């Protein structure tokens, strides 16, 4: 790399010297143009510059690939450690390291995804990164459940499934960045009906220009492949009788039209009369029209099925029933609802397969395949999580684990609704219209006074930046939840504030994904303001706690606690500042999430210190002064303010379900 950079610099300097007018004694010139005599030298230097810059770019690309591979290897090594842990304490330590490594990997792969020119590879990378992000939370709860119930077979199966899926996703990322597959095998992607019809029509229409560029056997084979794929529709139990009949009729008609086309085509090859060429044109038009009707029919069959299924399953009744029967410990009812979930999974998998045929573009095809894999994998994982909860109905962590997998299922169903709209857009010719990013400014109750406010579209870099920050925030909320759960006294004011802030930060993370209760940027800013207020309250609680402590760690606590107030004040000021325009709004969103991340990072450092001081003083290793009488009323008031009813009012929006953000490590049986 260094040598290539030196070569590039020398070539640039050579060109600069050769084109420096001041250094030339007698340039041949007129009033407008200077002509240099050493053209050969300039050309050589330009070629050298191009060659050396190309080397720099190629080497830089190799460096990035090696960074991603190294990061992947670190993640895999830590995952192996996580699989082997036998204690909660060891798990927390290793998972914290794992979280940091996943953030680094997300940054590197996110940048790589933005650099990819191939839309197909970009879609595959996005799918793999989505799997890794969702599986990070699944890995946390599944591992904790397995640690809590080490003899439970369903808990072990659940955990193993998450690890296996993460490894596959990591491997796919490496395949994409290195452009290779294991054992040197080539990827054979199944051809969709849309793709087959498009290629078939191109060949048929090509006969207008050249009657001899392909054989009739090739054309017949192409149609046979297309009609074989239509059997996915006609053989499907979920295709309506009407659609099935229409597809069969059009398939039969397509064969007849091709026979007629081939007949005229063969005659035209022998003699190009005007009448034969007109007959050929008619045959081409009829064949293409028939294929268009077939395409329209399979599109209607797939999209109508998808719309009906998504509408039918929008209430998530089976998931709700599994949660209820699991908590009740009703094994028979759980078995009944797991069978129903398996049926639902088969329906959704079939829907994804049919949608892939009519997706219209390679990136959307890949998204359909990713959705199919997600339903295939998540269904059995929900079942194993539900069985674990039914076997241990009083287990909070088993309940939380089931919630996480159900959330993934619901999220994928929501993604399918968006995918269906994208597929319809392509079919109707609106392919160029990009969807509005869900986390962008939209008219809402907090900005109703604005006359006109249109949704703003973020470019790729802005979306990637927000997504990275969101992932970091997500992992920090997991760390904070893990720390708060170590406290024996869950009613402690510091714990209450920490849990509240974690809940709000998690809702802000969901905002970066276009999910959750925060729908507009004004919702986000309002949440950030309340988050900062809660941080100020935590700072006050830490001040009270520090006054009661006499220990060597007290200065460290005071040092970290003093950092909290200025950061929270900065966040408050940022959230209250009014802005207008896309650029300013994005900058404010970015600043709010960054400052929230900084507060959560500080919180991750403060909570272990407080917990350690609390344990020391309880063990008699330190001195904890009793709170003065005038403080007692304040402490009680602070605790009462964090009851669930009070918290809803304080957040300004209903907080996310506690079992999603409070991850219980130790629980009573």
């Amino acid at each position: 790399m260094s040598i290539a950079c030196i070569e590039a610099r020398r070539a640039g300097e050579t060109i600069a010297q050769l084109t420096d007018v001041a250094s030339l004694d007698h340039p041949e010139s007129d009033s407008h143009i200077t002509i240099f005599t050493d053209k050969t030298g300039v050309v050589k230097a330009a070629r050298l510059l191009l060659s050396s810059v190309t080397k720099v770019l190629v080497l830089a690309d190799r460096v990035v690939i090696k960074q991603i591979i190294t990061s992947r290897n670190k993640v895999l090594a830590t995952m192996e450690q996580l699989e082997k842990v036998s204690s909660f304490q060891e798990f927390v330590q290793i998972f914290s390291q794992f979280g940091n490594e996943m953030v680094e990997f997300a940054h590197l792969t996110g940048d790589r995804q933005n650099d990819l020119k191939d839309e197909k590879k970009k879609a595959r990378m996005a799918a793999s990164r989505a799997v890794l992000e969702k599986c990070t939370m699944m890995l946390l709860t599944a591992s904790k459940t397995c640690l809590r119930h080490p003899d439970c077979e369903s808990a072990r199966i659940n955990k193993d499934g998450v690890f296996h899926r993460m490894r596959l996703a990591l491997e796919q990322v490496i395949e994409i960045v290195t452009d290779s597959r294991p054992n040197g095998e080539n990827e054979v992607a199944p051809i969709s009906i849309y793709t087959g019809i498009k290629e078939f029509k191109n060949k048929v229409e090509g006969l207008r220009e050249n009657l001899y560029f392909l054989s009739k056997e090739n054309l017949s084979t192409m149609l046979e492949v297309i009609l074989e794929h239509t059997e996915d529709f006609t053989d499907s139990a979920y295709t309506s009788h009407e659609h099935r009949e229409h597809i069969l009729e059009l398939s039969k008609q397509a064969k007849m039209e091709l026979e007629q086309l081939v007949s005229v085509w063969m005659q035209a090859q022998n003699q190009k009369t005007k009448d034969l060429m007109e007959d050929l044109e008619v045959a081409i038009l009829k064949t293409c029209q028939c294929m268009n009707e077939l395409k329209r029919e399979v599109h209607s069959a797939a999209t109508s099925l998808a719309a009906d299924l998504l509408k039918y399953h929008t209430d998530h009744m089976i998931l709700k029933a599994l949660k209820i029967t699991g908590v009740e410990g009703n094994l028979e009812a759980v078995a009944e609802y797991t069978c129903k979930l398996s049926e639902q999974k088969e329906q959704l998998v079939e829907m994804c397969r049919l949608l892939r045929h009519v997706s219209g573009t390679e990136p959307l095809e890949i998204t359909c395949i990713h959705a199919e894999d997600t339903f295939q994998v998540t269904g059995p994982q929900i079942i194993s999580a539900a069985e674990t909860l039914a076997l241990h109905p009083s287990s909070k962590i088993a309940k939380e684990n089931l919630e996480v997998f159900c959330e993934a299922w619901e999220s994928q169903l929501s993604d399918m609704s968006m995918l269906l709209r994208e597929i319809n857009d392509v079919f109707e010719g609106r392919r160029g219209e990009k969807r509005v990013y869900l986390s962008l400014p939209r008219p809402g109750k907090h900005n109703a006074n604005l006359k006109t406010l249109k949704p703003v579209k973020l470019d790729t870099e802005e979306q990637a930046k927000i997504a990275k920050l969101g992932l970091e925030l997500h992992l920090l909320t997991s760390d904070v939840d893990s720390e708060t759960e170590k406290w024996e006294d869950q009613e402690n004011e510091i714990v209450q504030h920490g849990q509240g802030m974690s809940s709000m930060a998690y809702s802000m993370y969901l905002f970066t994904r276009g999910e959750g209760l925060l729908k507009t940027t004004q919702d986000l800013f309002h949440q950030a303001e309340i988050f900062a207020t809660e941080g100020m309250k935590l700072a006050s609680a830490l001040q009270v706690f520090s006054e009661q402590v006499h220990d060597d760690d007290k200065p460290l606590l005071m040092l970290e606690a003093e950092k909290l107030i200025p950061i929270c004040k900065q966040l408050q000021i940022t959230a209250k500042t009014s802005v207008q325009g896309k650029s300013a709004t994005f900058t404010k969103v970015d600043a709010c999430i960054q400052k929230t991340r900084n507060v959560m990072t500080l919180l991750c450092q403060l909570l272990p210190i407080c917990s350690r001081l609390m344990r020391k003083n309880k063990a008699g290793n330190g001195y904890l002064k009793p709170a003065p009488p005038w403080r007692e009323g304040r402490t009680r008031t602070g605790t009462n303010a964090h009851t669930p009813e009070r918290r809803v009012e304080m957040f300004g929006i209903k907080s996310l379900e506690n079992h999603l953000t409070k991850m219980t490590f130790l629980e009573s049986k």
Side-chain angles (χ1 to χ4, degrees):
M1 173 71 82
S2 177
I3 294 171
C5 289
I6 292 170
E7 287 179 359
R9 187 183 298 111
R10 286 175 180 171
E13 290 172 353
T14 301
I15 292 175
Q17 291 172 3
L18 292 173
T19 56
D20 186 2
V21 180
S23 65
L24 295 176
D25 296 331
H26 304 288
E28 302 172 14
S29 63
D30 56 23
S31 58
H32 300 286
I33 303 173
T34 299
I35 303 173
F36 300 100
T37 54
D38 192 5
K39 292 180 182 178
T40 305
V42 173
V43 170
K44 286 183 178 179
R47 286 176 177 169
L48 179 59
L49 179 61
L50 180 61
S51 173
S52 54
V53 168
T54 302
K55 287 180 184 177
V56 171
L57 293 174
V58 170
L59 289 169
D61 191 63
R62 290 181 182 175
V63 169
V64 171
I65 291 173
K66 286 185 177 180
Q67 285 179 329
I68 293 175
I69 293 173
T70 302
S71 180
R72 187 281 307 259
N73 292 340
K74 288 196 294 185
V75 170
L76 282 176
T78 309
M79 282 176 62
E80 289 182 6
Q81 294 178 31
L82 283 172
E83 278 188 292
K84 298 174 183 177
V85 296
S86 56
S87 68
F88 284 115
Q89 185 176 2
E90 185 183 3
F91 175 78
V92 171
Q93 292 174 349
I94 297 175
F95 188 82
S96 178
Q97 176 188 343
F98 175 74
N100 293 332
E101 291 170 354
M102 282 300 295
V103 168
E104 178 191 4
F105 189 73
H107 283 198
L108 292 171
T109 53
D111 292 339
R112 186 66 177 180
Q113 181 180 325
N114 292 335
D115 293 338
L116 290 171
K117 305 302 180 186
D118 188 329
E119 291 297 326
K120 187 176 178 180
K121 287 183 179 180
K122 189 173 287 190
R124 290 179 63 210
M125 178 71 86
S128 299
R129 295 178 72 241
V131 168
L132 291 171
E133 182 181 352
K134 290 182 179 179
C135 282
T136 299
M137 181 58 70
M138 295 177 183
L139 184 144
L140 177 63
T141 56
S143 297
K144 285 161 55 181
T145 304
C146 208
L147 286 170
R148 181 69 183 84
H149 308 289
D151 299 327
C152 183
E153 180 67 13
S154 57
R156 185 191 62 77
I157 292 172
N158 184 257
K159 185 190 81 168
D160 290 346
V162 178
F163 276 95
H164 178 67
R165 195 173 185 213
M166 288 194 76
R167 286 194 173 97
L168 289 178
L170 288 166
E171 188 61 37
Q172 186 175 46
V173 169
I174 299 304
E175 288 176 14
I176 295 166
V177 299
T178 59
D179 200 19
S180 63
R181 293 181 63 80
N183 303 323
E185 59 190 39
N186 295 323
E187 181 184 13
V188 180
I191 299 175
S192 68
I193 291 176
Y194 259 32
T195 304
I197 289 177
K198 182 179 178 181
E199 292 178 358
F200 178 79
K201 284 175 59 183
N202 287 338
K203 296 293 185 184
V204 169
E205 291 173 344
L207 294 175
R208 294 190 180 106
E209 305 296 330
N210 187 344
L211 295 174
Y212 308 96
F213 78 103
L214 81 162
S215 66
K216 63 180 182 180
E217 289 78 16
N218 288 342
L219 214 52
S220 299
T221 301
M222 291 179 72
L223 182 61
E224 286 176 10
V225 171
I226 294 169
L227 298 184
E228 282 178 11
H229 286 318
T230 61
E231 293 175 3
D232 290 345
F233 287 82
T234 55
D235 294 346
S236 173
Y238 307 110
T239 302
S240 68
H241 177 70
E242 182 182 357
H243 282 306
R244 183 178 292 107
E245 289 298 317
H246 286 168
I247 292 171
L248 289 172
E249 288 175 8
L250 289 168
S251 298
K252 184 178 179 181
Q253 184 183 342
K255 290 181 181 178
M256 294 172 58
E257 297 293 352
L258 181 60
E259 287 177 5
Q260 179 63 25
L261 172 64
V262 170
S263 175
V264 178
W265 174 24
M266 293 298 105
Q267 293 179 43
Q269 283 184 342
N270 295 327
Q271 51 181 350
K272 290 185 180 181
T273 65
K274 182 178 180 182
D275 290 342
L276 281 175
M277 295 308 294
E278 287 178 355
D279 290 343
L280 179 63
E281 179 64 24
V282 171
I284 289 172
L285 291 174
K286 283 186 176 181
T287 303
C288 291
Q289 182 182 355
C290 181
M291 299 309 293
N292 286 336
E293 290 176 3
L294 178 60
K295 182 173 73 170
R296 189 177 298 108
E297 192 62 35
V298 294
H299 177 272
S300 176
T303 54
S304 59
L305 170 65
D308 291 343
L309 281 177
L310 293 174
K311 183 178 179 181
Y312 181 73
H313 294 307
T314 190
D315 55 3
H316 308 300
M317 291 302 297
I318 296 176
L319 299 182
K320 292 175 182 176
L322 277 173
K323 295 173 190 176
I324 294 170
T325 53
V327 170
E328 292 172 350
N330 190 338
L331 290 170
E332 291 183 4
V334 167
E336 177 186 347
Y337 285 111
T338 54
C339 289
K340 292 183 178 179
L341 182 66
S342 296
E343 292 175 6
Q344 180 181 337
K345 182 202 75 173
E346 291 304 319
Q347 293 172 357
L348 295 171
V349 166
E350 184 74 3
M351 174 191 74
C352 293
R353 287 174 181 165
L354 298 184
L355 282 177
R356 184 187 64 79
H357 277 302
V358 302
S359 53
T361 67
E362 284 190 332
L364 290 180
E365 279 187 42
I366 291 168
T367 306
C368 290
I369 294 170
H370 165 66
E372 179 185 340
D373 292 341
T374 299
F375 287 125
Q376 286 277 31
V377 173
T378 310
Q381 287 179 320
I382 291 175
I383 292 172
S384 60
E387 290 172 349
T388 303
L389 179 58
L391 292 170
H392 307 279
S394 62
S395 173
K396 294 179 183 178
I397 181 56
K399 180 183 177 184
E400 179 195 356
N401 188 47
L402 177 58
E403 287 281 358
V404 168
F405 283 97
C406 288
E407 276 286 325
W409 185 271
E410 293 169 9
S411 175
Q412 188 58 52
L413 280 175
S414 177
D415 291 344
M416 289 307 299
S417 297
M418 294 180 63
L419 176 60
L420 181 59
R421 290 198 296 272
E422 294 282 358
I423 289 173
N424 283 326
D425 282 353
V426 171
F427 182 76
E428 293 167 11
R430 298 198 302 266
R431 180 177 178 180
E433 297 180 12
K434 294 184 178 179
R435 291 247 163 234
V436 172
Y437 188 60
L438 295 181
S439 300
L440 303 178
R442 293 198 298 267
K445 62 182 180 179
H446 298 296
N447 55 5
N449 59 325
L450 297 178
K451 293 181 180 179
T452 57
L453 186 62
K454 296 181 180 179
V456 180
K457 299 177 184 178
L458 291 184
D459 60 32
T460 306
E461 289 186 12
E462 290 171 340
Q463 289 189 30
K465 186 174 183 181
I466 290 294
K468 288 176 186 177
L469 286 172
L471 179 58
E472 292 175 359
L473 203 57
H474 184 198
L475 294 171
L476 285 168
T477 59
S478 300
D479 291 340
V480 169
D481 291 331
S482 298
E483 289 296 337
T484 56
E485 286 155 10
K486 295 176 184 177
W487 291 59
E488 294 180 9
D489 181 13
Q490 289 293 304
E491 297 302 317
N492 185 284
E493 189 176 5
I494 295 174
V495 174
Q496 292 284 318
H497 285 303
Q499 290 172 340
M501 293 171 71
S502 178
S503 179
M504 286 187 276
Y506 186 77
S507 67
M508 295 170 78
Y509 152 71
L510 289 177
F511 173 85
T512 66
R513 291 178 51 83
E515 301 172 4
L517 299 172
L518 305 179
K519 301 300 182 185
T520 69
T521 49
Q522 290 300 322
D523 291 336
L524 176 72
F525 301 150
H526 183 62
Q527 182 79 109
E529 189 176 341
I530 298 169
F531 176 87
T533 303
E534 189 72 0
M536 301 286 282
K537 293 178 181 178
L538 174 61
S540 299
L542 291 170
Q543 179 66 29
V544 173
F545 178 68
S546 65
E547 290 175 2
Q548 302 174 39
V549 171
H550 283 276
D551 188 273
D552 293 341
D553 285 337
K554 179 177 177 177
L556 180 59
L557 173 63
M558 294 290 292
L559 180 65
E560 295 298 326
E562 286 174 0
K563 299 176 184 177
L564 188 59
I565 294 177
I567 298 178
C568 289
K569 285 183 177 178
Q570 289 175 11
L571 179 56
Q572 273 186 332
I573 293 169
T574 302
K576 289 179 180 179
T577 304
S578 60
V579 294
Q580 290 184 354
K582 172 194 168 182
S583 179
T585 302
F586 171 75
T587 301
K588 183 175 176 181
V589 169
D590 182 46
C592 284
I593 296 176
Q594 282 201 45
K595 287 181 170 59
T596 303
R597 179 196 61 184
N598 295 341
V599 173
M600 292 296 289
T601 302
L602 187 57
L603 191 55
C604 288
Q605 297 168 357
L606 281 166
L607 287 173
I609 298 172
C610 294
S611 178
R612 187 165 61 248
L613 286 170
M614 189 69 74
R615 288 197 303 270
K616 279 185 179 180
N617 287 295
K618 280 194 174 184
N621 297 331
Y623 174 59
L624 184 65
K625 297 193 295 185
W630 61 271
R631 291 278 193 188
E632 291 178 1
R634 176 178 176 178
T635 305
R636 283 195 298 270
T637 303
T639 303
N640 292 337
H642 287 81
T643 60
E645 296 78 13
R646 172 62 180 160
R647 188 174 297 173
V648 170
E649 179 185 348
M650 177 189 68
F651 285 1
I653 61 168
K654 182 179 179 182
S655 80
L656 297 168
E657 293 295 329
N658 290 337
H659 49 254
L660 288 180
T661 54
K662 297 179 182 179
M663 302 171 189
T664 309
F665 274 95
L666 299 175
E667 54 189 83
S668 57
K669 293 185 179 179

